[in-house]
Amino acid sequence: MKIAIGCDHGGIVLKPAIVEYLNSKGVAVMDLGCYDTQSVNYPVYALKVAKAVANGEADKGILLCGTGIGMSIAANKVHGIRAAVVSDVFCAKMCSAHNNANVLCLGGRVVDEQKAVELVDAWFTTPFEGGRHSERVDMMMKIESDE
Ligand code: RB5
Protein backbone atom coordinates (compact mmCIF):
# COMPACT_ATOMS: atom_id res chain seq x y z
CA MET A 1 0.00 0.00 0.00
CA LYS A 2 1.32 3.39 -1.02
CA ILE A 3 -0.27 6.73 -0.16
CA ALA A 4 0.58 10.04 -1.82
CA ILE A 5 0.27 13.07 0.45
CA GLY A 6 0.23 16.74 -0.46
CA CYS A 7 -0.49 19.97 1.34
CA ASP A 8 -0.32 23.73 1.20
CA HIS A 9 0.75 26.14 3.94
CA GLY A 10 -2.69 25.88 5.55
CA GLY A 11 -2.54 22.11 5.87
CA ILE A 12 1.12 21.39 6.49
CA VAL A 13 0.60 21.41 10.27
CA LEU A 14 -1.23 18.07 9.99
CA LYS A 15 1.31 16.31 7.78
CA PRO A 16 3.93 15.03 10.27
CA ALA A 17 1.37 13.28 12.51
CA ILE A 18 -0.36 11.69 9.51
CA VAL A 19 2.92 10.50 7.99
CA GLU A 20 3.96 9.06 11.36
CA TYR A 21 0.62 7.24 11.65
CA LEU A 22 0.91 5.80 8.13
CA ASN A 23 4.50 4.72 8.70
CA SER A 24 3.42 2.98 11.92
CA LYS A 25 0.93 0.98 9.82
CA GLY A 26 3.66 -0.04 7.39
CA VAL A 27 2.28 2.18 4.62
CA ALA A 28 4.71 3.71 2.14
CA VAL A 29 4.20 7.47 1.88
CA MET A 30 5.03 9.61 -1.18
CA ASP A 31 5.32 13.17 0.12
CA LEU A 32 4.68 15.45 -2.86
CA GLY A 33 5.04 18.72 -0.94
CA CYS A 34 4.81 21.44 0.03
CA TYR A 35 7.58 21.25 2.60
CA ASP A 36 7.39 24.51 4.56
CA THR A 37 4.89 27.16 5.65
CA GLN A 38 5.59 29.60 2.82
CA SER A 39 2.35 30.53 1.02
CA VAL A 40 1.72 28.30 -2.01
CA ASN A 41 -1.16 27.53 -4.36
CA TYR A 42 -3.11 24.44 -3.30
CA PRO A 43 -4.16 23.34 -6.85
CA VAL A 44 -0.49 22.58 -7.63
CA TYR A 45 -0.36 19.95 -4.87
CA ALA A 46 -3.90 18.69 -5.48
CA LEU A 47 -2.90 17.94 -9.07
CA LYS A 48 0.33 16.16 -8.08
CA VAL A 49 -1.46 13.85 -5.65
CA ALA A 50 -4.53 13.30 -7.84
CA LYS A 51 -2.34 12.35 -10.82
CA ALA A 52 -0.27 9.95 -8.70
CA VAL A 53 -3.48 8.18 -7.64
CA ALA A 54 -5.11 8.29 -11.08
CA ASN A 55 -2.07 6.85 -12.83
CA GLY A 56 -1.54 4.12 -10.21
CA GLU A 57 1.72 5.41 -8.71
CA ALA A 58 -0.15 5.56 -5.40
CA ASP A 59 -3.12 3.52 -4.16
CA LYS A 60 -4.75 6.43 -2.37
CA GLY A 61 -4.07 10.08 -1.62
CA ILE A 62 -4.34 12.56 1.22
CA LEU A 63 -4.56 16.33 0.68
CA LEU A 64 -4.31 18.98 3.36
CA CYS A 65 -5.13 22.68 3.06
CA GLY A 66 -6.73 25.24 5.36
CA THR A 67 -10.22 23.75 5.04
CA GLY A 68 -9.72 20.74 2.77
CA ILE A 69 -12.27 22.31 0.43
CA GLY A 70 -9.98 23.77 -2.24
CA MET A 71 -7.94 20.58 -2.37
CA SER A 72 -11.07 18.45 -2.82
CA ILE A 73 -12.51 20.65 -5.56
CA ALA A 74 -9.20 20.65 -7.44
CA ALA A 75 -8.52 16.92 -7.02
CA ASN A 76 -11.99 16.02 -8.27
CA LYS A 77 -11.17 17.68 -11.61
CA VAL A 78 -8.83 14.77 -12.37
CA HIS A 79 -10.51 11.76 -13.98
CA GLY A 80 -10.62 8.75 -11.70
CA ILE A 81 -10.49 10.75 -8.49
CA ARG A 82 -13.14 10.62 -5.80
CA ALA A 83 -11.91 13.15 -3.24
CA ALA A 84 -13.88 13.72 -0.03
CA VAL A 85 -13.36 16.44 2.53
CA VAL A 86 -14.33 15.34 6.03
CA SER A 87 -14.09 16.59 9.59
CA ASP A 88 -15.88 13.84 11.53
CA VAL A 89 -15.25 10.13 11.90
CA PHE A 90 -18.68 9.08 10.60
CA CYS A 91 -18.11 10.83 7.26
CA ALA A 92 -14.51 9.58 7.10
CA LYS A 93 -15.84 6.01 7.31
CA MET A 94 -18.75 6.60 4.96
CA CYS A 95 -16.68 8.20 2.23
CA SER A 96 -14.81 4.93 1.96
CA ALA A 97 -17.67 2.51 2.69
CA HIS A 98 -20.21 4.11 0.33
CA ASN A 99 -18.30 6.43 -2.02
CA ASN A 100 -15.01 4.55 -2.36
CA ALA A 101 -13.16 7.84 -1.90
CA ASN A 102 -9.59 7.41 -3.10
CA VAL A 103 -8.42 10.81 -1.84
CA LEU A 104 -9.10 12.16 1.66
CA CYS A 105 -8.97 15.93 2.21
CA LEU A 106 -8.58 17.55 5.61
CA GLY A 107 -8.35 21.12 6.86
CA GLY A 108 -5.48 22.23 9.03
CA ARG A 109 -7.64 25.14 10.24
CA VAL A 110 -10.56 22.81 10.96
CA VAL A 111 -9.14 19.81 12.81
CA ASP A 112 -6.15 19.30 15.09
CA GLU A 113 -3.43 16.68 14.56
CA GLN A 114 -5.08 14.11 16.82
CA LYS A 115 -8.42 14.40 15.02
CA ALA A 116 -6.66 14.29 11.65
CA VAL A 117 -5.05 10.96 12.55
CA GLU A 118 -8.44 9.63 13.74
CA LEU A 119 -10.00 10.66 10.43
CA VAL A 120 -7.21 9.10 8.36
CA ASP A 121 -7.48 5.90 10.41
CA ALA A 122 -11.27 5.77 9.98
CA TRP A 123 -11.01 6.26 6.20
CA PHE A 124 -8.02 3.99 5.75
CA THR A 125 -9.35 1.05 7.77
CA THR A 126 -12.90 1.14 6.40
CA PRO A 127 -13.30 -0.94 3.24
CA PHE A 128 -15.59 -0.03 0.35
CA GLU A 129 -18.81 -2.01 0.83
CA GLY A 130 -19.42 -2.59 -2.87
CA GLY A 131 -22.83 -4.09 -3.66
CA ARG A 132 -25.42 -1.39 -4.38
CA HIS A 133 -22.76 1.26 -3.80
CA SER A 134 -20.70 -0.04 -6.74
CA GLU A 135 -23.46 0.83 -9.15
CA ARG A 136 -23.71 4.35 -7.72
CA VAL A 137 -19.97 4.89 -7.81
CA ASP A 138 -19.93 3.63 -11.43
CA MET A 139 -22.68 6.13 -12.24
CA MET A 140 -20.60 8.96 -10.74
CA MET A 141 -17.53 7.96 -12.69
CA LYS A 142 -19.50 7.67 -15.93
CA ILE A 143 -20.25 11.40 -15.67
CA GLU A 144 -16.58 11.97 -16.50
CA SER A 145 -16.79 10.12 -19.82
CA ASP A 146 -20.23 11.55 -20.71
CA GLU A 147 -19.44 15.22 -20.10
C1 RB5 B 1 -5.03 29.24 1.87
O1 RB5 B 1 -5.08 30.43 2.58
C2 RB5 B 1 -6.39 28.56 1.86
O2 RB5 B 1 -7.25 29.23 1.00
C3 RB5 B 1 -6.25 27.11 1.48
O3 RB5 B 1 -5.41 26.48 2.39
C4 RB5 B 1 -7.52 26.28 1.47
O4 RB5 B 1 -8.21 26.42 2.69
C5 RB5 B 1 -8.38 26.41 0.32
O5 RB5 B 1 -9.42 25.75 0.20
Side-chain angles (χ1 to χ4, degrees), residues 41-131:
N41 298 320
Y42 60 82
V44 171
Y45 301 94
L47 184 59
K48 284 176 192 274
V49 168
K51 278 191 165 172
V53 174
N55 70 23
E57 270 180 88
D59 300 293
K60 293 171 188 280
I62 296 174
L63 286 165
L64 315 166
C65 64
T67 58
I69 295 169
M71 287 292 200
S72 64
I73 293 171
N76 278 318
K77 302 290 182 197
V78 175
H79 282 200
I81 296 304
R82 293 175 299 280
V85 54
V86 303
S87 55
D88 66 77
V89 167
F90 176 72
C91 289
K93 288 182 178 171
M94 286 301 104
C95 77
S96 182
H98 288 191
N99 312 115
N100 201 13
N102 53 10
V103 174
L104 188 74
C105 303
L106 305 175
R109 297 171 186 157
V110 180
V111 297
D112 63 16
E113 291 166 270
Q114 188 186 331
K115 175 64 80 176
V117 169
E118 280 177 39
L119 296 172
V120 170
D121 178 72
W123 167 71
F124 180 68
T125 60
T126 302
F128 177 51
E129 285 178 14

Coordinates of all heavy atoms in Angstrom, one line a residue, residues 41-131:
N41 N 0.2 27.7 -3.7 CA -1.2 27.5 -4.4 C -1.6 26.1 -4.3 O -1.0 25.2 -4.9 CB -1.1 28.0 -5.8 CG -0.8 29.5 -5.9 OD1 -1.3 30.3 -5.1 ND2 0.1 29.8 -6.9
Y42 N -2.7 25.8 -3.6 CA -3.1 24.4 -3.3 C -3.4 23.6 -4.6 O -3.2 22.4 -4.6 CB -4.3 24.4 -2.3 CG -5.5 25.1 -2.8 CD1 -6.4 24.5 -3.6 CD2 -5.8 26.4 -2.3 CE1 -7.6 25.2 -4.1 CE2 -6.9 27.1 -2.7 CZ -7.8 26.5 -3.6 OH -8.9 27.1 -4.0
P43 N -3.9 24.2 -5.7 CA -4.2 23.3 -6.8 C -2.9 22.6 -7.4 O -3.0 21.5 -8.0 CB -4.7 24.3 -7.9 CG -5.3 25.4 -7.1 CD -4.4 25.6 -5.9
V44 N -1.7 23.2 -7.2 CA -0.5 22.6 -7.6 C -0.3 21.2 -7.0 O 0.0 20.2 -7.6 CB 0.7 23.5 -7.3 CG1 2.0 22.8 -7.5 CG2 0.6 24.8 -8.1
Y45 N -0.6 21.2 -5.7 CA -0.4 20.0 -4.9 C -1.5 19.0 -5.0 O -1.3 17.8 -5.0 CB -0.1 20.3 -3.4 CG 1.2 21.2 -3.4 CD1 1.1 22.6 -3.4 CD2 2.4 20.6 -3.5 CE1 2.2 23.4 -3.5 CE2 3.6 21.4 -3.5 CZ 3.4 22.8 -3.5 OH 4.5 23.6 -3.6
A46 N -2.7 19.5 -5.2 CA -3.9 18.7 -5.5 C -3.7 17.9 -6.8 O -3.9 16.7 -6.8 CB -5.2 19.5 -5.6
L47 N -3.1 18.6 -7.8 CA -2.9 17.9 -9.1 C -1.8 16.9 -9.0 O -2.0 15.8 -9.5 CB -2.5 19.0 -10.1 CG -2.3 18.5 -11.5 CD1 -3.6 17.8 -12.1 CD2 -1.9 19.6 -12.5
K48 N -0.8 17.2 -8.2 CA 0.3 16.2 -8.1 C -0.2 14.9 -7.4 O 0.1 13.8 -7.9 CB 1.4 16.7 -7.2 CG 2.4 17.8 -7.8 CD 3.3 18.3 -6.7 CE 4.1 19.5 -7.1 NZ 5.3 19.2 -7.8
V49 N -1.0 15.0 -6.4 CA -1.5 13.8 -5.7 C -2.5 13.1 -6.5 O -2.5 11.9 -6.6 CB -2.0 14.2 -4.2 CG1 -2.8 13.1 -3.6 CG2 -0.8 14.6 -3.4
A50 N -3.4 13.9 -7.1 CA -4.5 13.3 -7.8 C -4.0 12.5 -9.0 O -4.4 11.4 -9.3 CB -5.5 14.4 -8.3
K51 N -3.0 13.1 -9.7 CA -2.3 12.4 -10.8 C -1.6 11.1 -10.4 O -1.7 10.1 -11.0 CB -1.3 13.3 -11.5 CG -2.0 14.2 -12.5 CD -1.0 14.9 -13.4 CE -1.6 15.5 -14.6 NZ -0.7 16.4 -15.4
A52 N -1.0 11.1 -9.2 CA -0.3 10.0 -8.7 C -1.3 8.8 -8.4 O -1.0 7.7 -8.7 CB 0.5 10.3 -7.4
V53 N -2.4 9.2 -7.9 CA -3.5 8.2 -7.6 C -4.1 7.7 -9.0 O -4.2 6.5 -9.2 CB -4.6 8.7 -6.7 CG1 -5.7 7.7 -6.5 CG2 -3.9 9.1 -5.3
A54 N -4.4 8.7 -9.8 CA -5.1 8.3 -11.1 C -4.2 7.4 -12.0 O -4.7 6.5 -12.7 CB -5.5 9.6 -11.8
N55 N -2.9 7.6 -12.0 CA -2.1 6.9 -12.8 C -1.5 5.6 -12.1 O -0.7 4.9 -12.7 CB -1.0 7.7 -13.5 CG 0.1 8.2 -12.5 OD1 0.3 7.5 -11.4 ND2 0.8 9.2 -12.8
G56 N -1.9 5.4 -10.9 CA -1.5 4.1 -10.2 C -0.2 4.1 -9.5 O 0.2 3.2 -8.9
E57 N 0.5 5.3 -9.5 CA 1.7 5.4 -8.7 C 1.5 5.3 -7.2 O 2.3 4.8 -6.5 CB 2.3 6.8 -8.9 CG 3.3 6.9 -10.1 CD 3.8 8.4 -10.1 OE1 4.8 8.7 -9.4 OE2 3.1 9.2 -10.8
A58 N 0.3 5.7 -6.8 CA -0.1 5.6 -5.4 C -1.5 4.9 -5.4 O -2.3 5.1 -6.3 CB -0.2 6.9 -4.7
D59 N -1.8 4.2 -4.3 CA -3.1 3.5 -4.2 C -4.2 4.5 -3.7 O -5.3 4.4 -4.2 CB -3.0 2.4 -3.1 CG -2.0 1.4 -3.5 OD1 -2.2 0.7 -4.5 OD2 -1.0 1.3 -2.8
K60 N -3.8 5.4 -2.9 CA -4.8 6.4 -2.4 C -4.0 7.7 -2.1 O -2.7 7.7 -2.2 CB -5.4 6.0 -1.0 CG -6.3 4.8 -1.1 CD -6.7 4.3 0.3 CE -7.5 3.0 0.3 NZ -8.9 3.2 0.0
G61 N -4.7 8.8 -1.9 CA -4.1 10.1 -1.6 C -4.7 10.8 -0.4 O -5.8 10.6 -0.1
I62 N -3.9 11.7 0.1 CA -4.3 12.6 1.2 C -3.9 14.0 0.9 O -2.8 14.2 0.5 CB -3.7 12.1 2.6 CG1 -4.2 10.7 3.0 CG2 -4.1 13.2 3.7 CD1 -3.6 10.2 4.2
L63 N -4.9 14.9 1.0 CA -4.6 16.3 0.7 C -5.0 17.2 1.9 O -6.1 17.0 2.4 CB -5.3 16.7 -0.6 CG -4.7 16.2 -1.9 CD1 -5.7 16.4 -3.0 CD2 -3.4 16.9 -2.2
L64 N -4.1 18.1 2.2 CA -4.3 19.0 3.4 C -4.2 20.4 3.0 O -3.2 20.9 2.4 CB -3.2 18.7 4.4 CG -3.0 17.2 4.7 CD1 -1.6 17.0 5.4 CD2 -4.1 16.6 5.4
C65 N -5.2 21.2 3.2 CA -5.1 22.7 3.1 C -5.8 23.3 4.3 O -6.0 22.6 5.3 CB -5.7 23.2 1.7 SG -7.5 22.9 1.5
G66 N -6.2 24.6 4.2 CA -6.7 25.2 5.4 C -8.0 24.6 5.8 O -8.3 24.3 6.9
T67 N -8.9 24.3 4.8 CA -10.2 23.8 5.0 C -10.4 22.4 4.5 O -11.3 21.7 4.8 CB -11.3 24.6 4.4 OG1 -11.0 24.7 3.0 CG2 -11.4 26.0 5.0
G68 N -9.5 22.0 3.5 CA -9.7 20.7 2.8 C -10.6 20.9 1.5 O -10.6 20.1 0.6
I69 N -11.3 22.1 1.5 CA -12.3 22.3 0.4 C -11.6 22.5 -0.9 O -11.9 21.9 -1.9 CB -13.2 23.5 0.8 CG1 -14.0 23.1 2.0 CG2 -14.1 23.8 -0.4 CD1 -14.8 24.3 2.6
G70 N -10.7 23.5 -1.0 CA -10.0 23.8 -2.2 C -9.3 22.5 -2.8 O -9.4 22.3 -4.0
M71 N -8.6 21.8 -1.9 CA -7.9 20.6 -2.4 C -8.9 19.6 -3.0 O -8.7 19.0 -4.0 CB -7.2 19.9 -1.2 CG -6.0 20.6 -0.8 SD -4.7 20.6 -2.0 CE -3.2 20.9 -1.0
S72 N -10.1 19.4 -2.3 CA -11.1 18.5 -2.8 C -11.7 18.9 -4.2 O -11.8 18.1 -5.1 CB -12.2 18.2 -1.8 OG -12.9 19.4 -1.6
I73 N -11.9 20.2 -4.3 CA -12.5 20.6 -5.6 C -11.5 20.4 -6.7 O -11.8 19.9 -7.8 CB -12.9 22.1 -5.5 CG1 -14.1 22.3 -4.5 CG2 -13.3 22.7 -6.9 CD1 -14.4 23.8 -4.2
A74 N -10.2 20.8 -6.4 CA -9.2 20.7 -7.4 C -8.9 19.2 -7.8 O -8.9 18.8 -9.0 CB -7.9 21.3 -7.0
A75 N -8.8 18.3 -6.8 CA -8.5 16.9 -7.0 C -9.6 16.2 -7.8 O -9.4 15.4 -8.7 CB -8.3 16.2 -5.7
N76 N -10.9 16.6 -7.6 CA -12.0 16.0 -8.3 C -12.1 16.4 -9.7 O -12.9 15.9 -10.5 CB -13.3 16.3 -7.5 CG -13.5 15.4 -6.4 OD1 -13.3 14.2 -6.5 ND2 -14.0 15.9 -5.3
K77 N -11.2 17.3 -10.2 CA -11.2 17.7 -11.6 C -10.4 16.6 -12.4 O -10.5 16.6 -13.6 CB -10.5 19.0 -11.8 CG -11.1 20.2 -11.1 CD -12.4 20.6 -11.7 CE -13.0 21.8 -11.1 NZ -14.4 21.9 -11.4
V78 N -9.6 15.8 -11.7 CA -8.8 14.8 -12.4 C -9.6 13.5 -12.5 O -10.2 13.0 -11.5 CB -7.5 14.5 -11.6 CG1 -6.7 13.4 -12.2 CG2 -6.7 15.8 -11.5
H79 N -9.7 13.0 -13.7 CA -10.5 11.8 -14.0 C -10.0 10.6 -13.1 O -8.8 10.4 -13.0 CB -10.4 11.4 -15.5 CG -11.3 12.2 -16.3 ND1 -11.8 11.8 -17.6 CD2 -11.9 13.4 -16.1 CE1 -12.5 12.8 -18.1 NE2 -12.6 13.8 -17.2
G80 N -11.0 9.9 -12.5 CA -10.6 8.7 -11.7 C -10.6 9.1 -10.2 O -10.4 8.2 -9.4
I81 N -10.6 10.4 -9.9 CA -10.5 10.8 -8.5 C -11.9 10.9 -7.8 O -12.8 11.6 -8.4 CB -9.7 12.1 -8.4 CG1 -8.2 11.8 -8.9 CG2 -9.7 12.6 -6.9 CD1 -7.5 10.7 -8.2
R82 N -12.0 10.4 -6.7 CA -13.1 10.6 -5.8 C -12.6 11.2 -4.5 O -12.2 10.4 -3.6 CB -13.9 9.3 -5.6 CG -14.6 8.8 -6.8 CD -15.2 7.4 -6.6 NE -14.3 6.4 -6.2 CZ -13.5 5.8 -7.0 NH1 -13.5 6.0 -8.3 NH2 -12.6 4.9 -6.5
A83 N -12.5 12.5 -4.4 CA -11.9 13.2 -3.2 C -13.0 13.6 -2.3 O -14.0 14.2 -2.8 CB -11.1 14.3 -3.7
A84 N -12.9 13.3 -1.0 CA -13.9 13.7 0.0 C -13.2 14.5 1.1 O -12.2 14.1 1.6 CB -14.5 12.5 0.6
V85 N -13.8 15.7 1.4 CA -13.4 16.4 2.5 C -14.2 16.1 3.7 O -15.5 16.1 3.6 CB -13.3 18.0 2.2 CG1 -14.7 18.5 1.8 CG2 -12.9 18.8 3.4
V86 N -13.6 15.7 4.8 CA -14.3 15.3 6.0 C -13.7 16.0 7.3 O -12.6 16.4 7.3 CB -14.3 13.8 6.2 CG1 -14.9 13.1 5.0 CG2 -12.9 13.3 6.6
S87 N -14.6 16.1 8.3 CA -14.1 16.6 9.6 C -14.7 15.8 10.7 O -14.5 16.1 11.9 CB -14.4 18.1 9.8 OG -15.8 18.3 9.6
D88 N -15.4 14.7 10.4 CA -15.9 13.8 11.5 C -15.7 12.4 11.1 O -15.6 12.1 9.9 CB -17.3 14.1 11.9 CG -18.3 13.8 10.8 OD1 -18.6 12.6 10.6 OD2 -18.7 14.8 10.1
V89 N -15.6 11.5 12.1 CA -15.2 10.1 11.9 C -16.3 9.4 11.1 O -16.0 8.6 10.2 CB -15.0 9.4 13.3 CG1 -14.9 7.9 13.1 CG2 -13.7 9.9 13.8
F90 N -17.6 9.7 11.3 CA -18.7 9.1 10.6 C -18.5 9.3 9.1 O -18.5 8.3 8.3 CB -20.0 9.6 11.0 CG -21.2 9.0 10.3 CD1 -21.6 7.7 10.4 CD2 -21.9 9.8 9.3 CE1 -22.6 7.2 9.7 CE2 -22.9 9.3 8.6 CZ -23.3 7.9 8.8
C91 N -18.3 10.5 8.7 CA -18.1 10.8 7.3 C -16.8 10.2 6.7 O -16.8 9.8 5.6 CB -18.2 12.3 7.0 SG -19.8 13.0 7.2
A92 N -15.8 10.2 7.5 CA -14.5 9.6 7.1 C -14.7 8.1 6.8 O -14.2 7.6 5.8 CB -13.4 9.7 8.2
K93 N -15.5 7.4 7.6 CA -15.8 6.0 7.3 C -16.7 5.9 6.1 O -16.5 5.0 5.2 CB -16.5 5.4 8.5 CG -15.6 5.1 9.7 CD -16.4 4.5 10.8 CE -15.4 4.2 12.0 NZ -16.1 3.8 13.2
M94 N -17.8 6.7 6.0 CA -18.7 6.6 5.0 C -18.2 6.9 3.6 O -18.6 6.3 2.6 CB -20.0 7.5 5.2 CG -20.9 7.1 6.3 SD -21.6 5.4 6.0 CE -20.6 4.4 7.1
C95 N -17.2 7.8 3.5 CA -16.7 8.2 2.2 C -15.9 7.1 1.6 O -15.7 7.0 0.4 CB -15.9 9.5 2.3 SG -14.2 9.4 3.0
S96 N -15.4 6.1 2.5 CA -14.8 4.9 2.0 C -15.9 3.9 1.7 O -16.0 3.3 0.7 CB -13.7 4.4 2.9 OG -13.1 3.3 2.4
A97 N -16.7 3.6 2.7 CA -17.7 2.5 2.7 C -18.7 2.7 1.5 O -19.0 1.7 0.8 CB -18.4 2.4 4.0
H98 N -19.2 3.9 1.3 CA -20.2 4.1 0.3 C -19.7 4.8 -1.0 O -20.3 4.5 -2.0 CB -21.3 5.0 0.9 CG -22.2 4.2 1.9 ND1 -23.3 4.7 2.4 CD2 -22.0 3.0 2.5 CE1 -23.9 3.9 3.3 NE2 -23.0 2.8 3.4
N99 N -18.7 5.7 -0.8 CA -18.3 6.4 -2.0 C -17.0 6.0 -2.6 O -16.5 6.5 -3.6 CB -18.2 7.9 -1.7 CG -19.4 8.4 -0.9 OD1 -19.3 8.8 0.2 ND2 -20.6 8.4 -1.6
N100 N -16.3 5.0 -1.9 CA -15.0 4.5 -2.4 C -14.0 5.7 -2.6 O -13.3 5.7 -3.7 CB -15.2 3.7 -3.6 CG -14.0 2.7 -3.8 OD1 -13.2 2.6 -2.9 ND2 -13.9 2.1 -5.0
A101 N -14.0 6.7 -1.7 CA -13.2 7.8 -1.9 C -11.7 7.4 -1.9 O -11.2 6.7 -1.0 CB -13.4 8.8 -0.7
N102 N -11.0 7.8 -3.0 CA -9.6 7.4 -3.1 C -8.6 8.6 -2.7 O -7.4 8.4 -2.7 CB -9.3 6.8 -4.5 CG -9.7 7.7 -5.6 OD1 -10.1 8.9 -5.4 ND2 -9.6 7.2 -6.8
V103 N -9.2 9.7 -2.4 CA -8.4 10.8 -1.8 C -9.2 11.4 -0.6 O -10.4 11.7 -0.8 CB -8.2 11.9 -2.9 CG1 -7.5 13.1 -2.3 CG2 -7.3 11.4 -4.1
L104 N -8.5 11.6 0.5 CA -9.1 12.2 1.7 C -8.5 13.6 1.8 O -7.3 13.8 1.7 CB -8.8 11.3 2.9 CG -9.5 11.7 4.2 CD1 -11.0 11.3 4.1 CD2 -8.8 11.2 5.4
C105 N -9.4 14.5 2.0 CA -9.0 15.9 2.2 C -9.3 16.4 3.6 O -10.5 16.2 4.1 CB -9.7 16.8 1.2 SG -9.4 16.3 -0.5
L106 N -8.4 17.1 4.2 CA -8.6 17.6 5.6 C -8.1 19.0 5.7 O -7.3 19.4 4.9 CB -7.8 16.7 6.6 CG -8.0 15.2 6.6 CD1 -7.0 14.5 7.6 CD2 -9.4 14.8 6.9
G107 N -8.7 19.7 6.7 CA -8.4 21.1 6.9 C -7.5 21.3 8.1 O -7.9 21.0 9.2
G108 N -6.4 21.9 7.9 CA -5.5 22.2 9.0 C -6.0 23.3 9.9 O -5.5 23.5 11.0
R109 N -7.0 24.1 9.4 CA -7.6 25.1 10.2 C -9.0 24.7 10.8 O -9.8 25.5 11.3 CB -7.8 26.4 9.4 CG -6.4 27.0 9.0 CD -6.6 28.1 8.0 NE -5.2 28.5 7.5 CZ -5.0 29.1 6.3 NH1 -6.0 29.4 5.5 NH2 -3.8 29.4 6.0
V110 N -9.3 23.4 10.6 CA -10.6 22.8 11.0 C -10.4 21.8 12.0 O -11.1 21.7 13.0 CB -11.3 22.2 9.7 CG1 -12.6 21.6 10.1 CG2 -11.5 23.2 8.6
V111 N -9.4 20.9 11.8 CA -9.1 19.8 12.8 C -7.7 19.9 13.3 O -6.8 20.5 12.7 CB -9.4 18.4 12.2 CG1 -10.8 18.3 11.7 CG2 -8.4 18.2 11.0
D112 N -7.5 19.3 14.6 CA -6.1 19.3 15.1 C -5.5 18.0 14.7 O -6.1 17.1 14.0 CB -6.1 19.5 16.6 CG -6.9 18.4 17.4 OD1 -7.1 17.3 16.8 OD2 -7.2 18.6 18.5
E113 N -4.2 17.8 15.0 CA -3.4 16.7 14.6 C -4.0 15.4 15.0 O -4.1 14.4 14.3 CB -2.0 16.8 15.1 CG -1.2 17.9 14.5 CD 0.1 18.1 15.3 OE1 0.0 19.0 16.2 OE2 1.1 17.5 15.0
Q114 N -4.5 15.3 16.3 CA -5.1 14.1 16.8 C -6.3 13.7 16.1 O -6.5 12.5 15.7 CB -5.4 14.3 18.3 CG -5.8 13.0 19.0 CD -6.3 13.2 20.4 OE1 -5.8 14.2 21.1 NE2 -7.2 12.4 20.9
K115 N -7.2 14.7 15.8 CA -8.4 14.4 15.0 C -8.1 14.0 13.6 O -8.7 13.1 13.0 CB -9.3 15.6 15.0 CG -10.6 15.5 14.2 CD -11.5 14.4 14.6 CE -12.4 14.9 15.8 NZ -13.4 13.9 16.2
A116 N -7.1 14.6 13.0 CA -6.7 14.3 11.7 C -6.2 12.8 11.6 O -6.6 12.1 10.6 CB -5.5 15.2 11.2
V117 N -5.5 12.4 12.5 CA -5.0 11.0 12.6 C -6.3 10.0 12.7 O -6.4 9.0 12.1 CB -4.0 10.7 13.6 CG1 -3.7 9.2 13.8 CG2 -2.7 11.4 13.3
E118 N -7.2 10.4 13.6 CA -8.4 9.6 13.7 C -9.2 9.5 12.4 O -9.7 8.5 12.1 CB -9.4 10.3 14.8 CG -9.0 10.1 16.2 CD -10.0 10.8 17.1 OE1 -11.2 10.9 16.8 OE2 -9.5 11.4 18.1
L119 N -9.3 10.6 11.7 CA -10.0 10.7 10.4 C -9.3 9.8 9.4 O -9.9 9.1 8.6 CB -10.1 12.1 9.9 CG -11.0 13.0 10.8 CD1 -10.9 14.5 10.4 CD2 -12.4 12.6 10.9
V120 N -8.0 9.9 9.3 CA -7.2 9.1 8.4 C -7.4 7.6 8.7 O -7.6 6.8 7.8 CB -5.7 9.5 8.4 CG1 -4.9 8.5 7.6 CG2 -5.5 10.9 7.8
D121 N -7.3 7.3 10.0 CA -7.5 5.9 10.4 C -8.9 5.4 10.0 O -9.0 4.3 9.5 CB -7.3 5.8 11.9 CG -7.5 4.4 12.4 OD1 -6.6 3.5 12.2 OD2 -8.5 4.2 13.1
A122 N -9.9 6.2 10.3 CA -11.3 5.8 10.0 C -11.4 5.5 8.5 O -12.1 4.5 8.1 CB -12.3 6.8 10.5
W123 N -10.9 6.4 7.7 CA -11.0 6.3 6.2 C -10.2 5.1 5.7 O -10.7 4.2 5.0 CB -10.5 7.6 5.6 CG -10.2 7.5 4.1 CD1 -11.2 7.4 3.1 CD2 -9.0 7.6 3.5 NE1 -10.5 7.5 1.9 CE2 -9.2 7.6 2.1 CE3 -7.6 7.7 4.0 CZ2 -8.1 7.7 1.2 CZ3 -6.6 7.8 3.1 CH2 -6.8 7.8 1.7
F124 N -9.0 5.0 6.2 CA -8.0 4.0 5.8 C -8.4 2.6 6.1 O -8.1 1.6 5.4 CB -6.7 4.4 6.4 CG -5.5 3.5 6.0 CD1 -5.1 3.5 4.7 CD2 -4.9 2.7 6.9 CE1 -4.0 2.6 4.3 CE2 -3.9 1.8 6.6 CZ -3.4 1.8 5.3
T125 N -9.0 2.4 7.3 CA -9.4 1.1 7.8 C -10.8 0.6 7.4 O -11.2 -0.5 7.8 CB -9.2 0.9 9.3 OG1 -10.0 1.9 9.9 CG2 -7.7 1.2 9.7
T126 N -11.5 1.5 6.8 CA -12.9 1.1 6.4 C -12.9 0.7 4.9 O -12.6 1.5 4.1 CB -13.9 2.3 6.6 OG1 -13.8 2.7 8.0 CG2 -15.3 2.0 6.2
P127 N -13.3 -0.5 4.7 CA -13.3 -0.9 3.2 C -14.5 -0.4 2.5 O -15.6 -0.2 3.1 CB -13.3 -2.5 3.3 CG -13.9 -2.8 4.7 CD -13.6 -1.6 5.6
F128 N -14.4 -0.3 1.2 CA -15.6 0.0 0.3 C -16.6 -1.2 0.4 O -16.1 -2.4 0.3 CB -15.1 0.2 -1.1 CG -16.2 0.4 -2.1 CD1 -17.2 1.4 -1.8 CD2 -16.3 -0.3 -3.3 CE1 -18.2 1.6 -2.8 CE2 -17.3 -0.1 -4.2 CZ -18.3 0.9 -3.9
E129 N -17.8 -0.9 0.6 CA -18.8 -2.0 0.8 C -19.2 -2.7 -0.5 O -19.8 -3.8 -0.5 CB -20.1 -1.5 1.5 CG -19.9 -1.2 3.0 CD -21.1 -0.6 3.7 OE1 -22.2 -0.7 3.1 OE2 -21.0 -0.1 4.8
G130 N -19.0 -2.0 -1.6 CA -19.4 -2.6 -2.9 C -20.9 -2.7 -2.9 O -21.7 -1.9 -2.4
G131 N -21.4 -3.8 -3.5 CA -22.8 -4.1 -3.7 C -23.5 -2.9 -4.4 O -23.1 -2.5 -5.4

